[in-house]
């Protein structure tokens, strides 16, 4: 185990606490949505109780040295709050470090409420690598949330993520160590690892693009390429929704890593966006920063995520010219690959109505409900 990784759990750094908060909050939202879908299917077709899975491949020791709980404990607490999840949730915690596994096992065994779980969490000590994609793909078709919080890049691959995303209702949350991946791209010994992450043609194009990029632009180019690779990863033609969240170092001067969420469902994307927006350290006109530097038009995906709220009004007038739609329809059609959350759309639509730029069906002042119709001029 590297010294950096050994020190990682010595104290709960602010970034680590935010990351754990994002993952555990999303887990709760995701699990409850999947639970409701399963219950509806079971009531309709008379099926037995279906399972839901959570897999953390780099779970760590479970707590920091000062006793602060890390992601595994936060997830267990979320499950315990819902007796129906306790009946269905299959949890797999894994770590390649035997000391972490021993600590985690002690933490789980002493968890207050563990007896309420129908399936006791499985704790494994497996070294994660790209070859794990095969076994993951062969698992039962159970909706799964995969959290892959690795330290490097050799264990990452598009194929590994897709082995989970091919299952209905499944999402992935990935720790993307930008600094290490940035260094590996130009290393001839790491060609195989980079191809596994980006694909052969995209990796070659990426190296060419980086030759004309300054150090600031490199990060944007790399994240743009990785996001594009994830979106194109589908083997069954289904969509992939990608949302990155950037973490800086303690001084706020340099990127340390990104947390990237991948979902095959727009609802999952929208829910994670709401969570990440609330965890953002800054806002611009009420629009969350998601900790991004300001990209340029050379990175269209990230550029679209950097727009302030003033631009949203212009975009809506242009994109929906001549149409009459409910607020919720406008939001669902438009929010993908933007930083805007539902409240931004409500605020801007009300503003446009006040300025006489759109008309709306009857509603309360200073609000713009989901079912309020907005009519845009041609």
């Amino acid at each position: 185990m590297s010294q950096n990784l050994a020190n990682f759990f010595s104290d709960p750094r602010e970034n680590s606490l935010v990351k754990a908060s994002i993952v555990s909050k999303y887990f709760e939202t995701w699990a409850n949505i999947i639970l409701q879908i399963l219950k509806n299917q079971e009531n309709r077709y008379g099926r037995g109780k279906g399972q839901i899975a959570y897999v953390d491949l780099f779970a760590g020791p479970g707590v920091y040295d000062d006793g602060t709980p890390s992601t595994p404990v936060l997830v267990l607490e979320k499950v315990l709050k819902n007796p129906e999840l306790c009946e269905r949730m299959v949890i797999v915690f894994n770590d390649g470090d035997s000391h972490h596994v021993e600590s985690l096992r002690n933490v789980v065994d002493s968890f207050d409420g563990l007896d309420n779980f129908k399936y006791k969490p499985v704790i494994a000590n497996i070294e994660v690598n790209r070859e794990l994609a095969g076994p993951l793909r062969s698992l039962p078709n159970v909706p799964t949330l995969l959290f892959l919080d690795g330290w490097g890049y050799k264990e990452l691959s598009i194929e590994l993520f897709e082995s989970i995303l091919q299952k209905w209702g499944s999402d992935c949350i990935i720790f993307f160590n930008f600094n290490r991946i940035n260094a590996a791209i130009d290393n001839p010994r790491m060609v195989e690892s980079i191809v596994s992450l980006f694909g052969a043609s995209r990796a070659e194009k990426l190296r060419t693009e980086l030759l004309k990029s300054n150090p600031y632009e490199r990060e944007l180019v790399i994240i743009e390429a990785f996001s594009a690779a994830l979106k194109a990863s589908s083997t069954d033609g289904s969509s992939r929704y990608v949302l990155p969240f950037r973490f800086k170092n303690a001084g706020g001067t340099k990127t340390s890593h990104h947390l990237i969420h991948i979902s095959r469902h727009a609802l999952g994307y929208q829910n994670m966006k709401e969570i990440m927006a609330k965890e953002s350290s800054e806002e611009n006109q009420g629009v969350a920063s998601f900790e991004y530097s300001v990209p340029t038009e050379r990175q269209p995906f990230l550029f679209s995520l950097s727009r302030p709220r003033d631009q949203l009004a212009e975009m809506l007038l242009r994109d929906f010219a001549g149409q009459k739609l409910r607020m919720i329809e406008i939001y669902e059609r438009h929010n993908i690959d933007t930083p805007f959350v539902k409240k931004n759309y409500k605020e801007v639509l009300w503003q446009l109505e006040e300025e006489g730029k759109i008309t709306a069906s009857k509603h309360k002042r200073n609000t713009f409900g989901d079912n309020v119709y907005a009519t845009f001029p041609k």
Side-chain angles (χ1 to χ4, degrees), residues 265-275 331-332 335-336:
H265 302 282
L267 180 59
Y269 170 89
Q270 291 160 4
N271 286 330
M272 179 58 98
K273 185 191 285 188
E274 295 282 350
I275 292 168
Y331 166 69
E332 290 177 347
N335 85 95
I336 304 300

Side-chain angles (χ1 to χ4, degrees), residues 5-25:
L5 188 54
N7 293 336
F8 184 79
F9 289 97
S10 62
D11 62 272
R13 303 172 188 176
E14 188 67 26
N15 279 354
S16 302
L17 295 177
V18 171
K19 180 171 61 176
S21 176
I22 290 173
V23 174
S24 61
K25 287 177 180 177

Side-chain angles (χ1 to χ4, degrees), residues 284-285 287 294 297 303-319 334 338-340 345 348 351-352:
N284 181 4
Q285 299 180 330
V287 179
V294 180
E297 287 89 340
F303 182 67
S304 69
L305 288 174
S306 70
R307 297 174 172 178
R309 199 179 71 184
D310 280 350
Q311 289 182 288
L312 178 56
E314 299 174 10
M315 295 162 67
L316 294 181
L317 290 171
R318 181 195 67 221
D319 296 343
H334 193 268
T338 78
F340 306 117
Y345 284 86
V348 167
Q351 172 191 325
L352 289 173

Side-chain angles (χ1 to χ4, degrees), residues 20-36 52 54 71 74-82 85 89 145 173 271-272 275:
S21 176
I22 290 173
V23 174
S24 61
K25 287 177 180 177
Y26 184 74
F27 165 79
E28 182 175 32
T29 300
W30 168 85
N32 282 302
I33 291 173
I34 297 297
L35 174 62
Q36 191 58 53
I52 309 172
Y54 173 77
T71 310
L74 297 180
V75 166
L76 291 177
E77 290 174 346
K78 298 293 188 184
V79 176
L80 189 60
K81 287 169 57 178
N82 189 330
L85 288 180
M89 188 62 61
L145 178 61
I173 304 174
N271 286 330
M272 179 58 98
I275 292 168

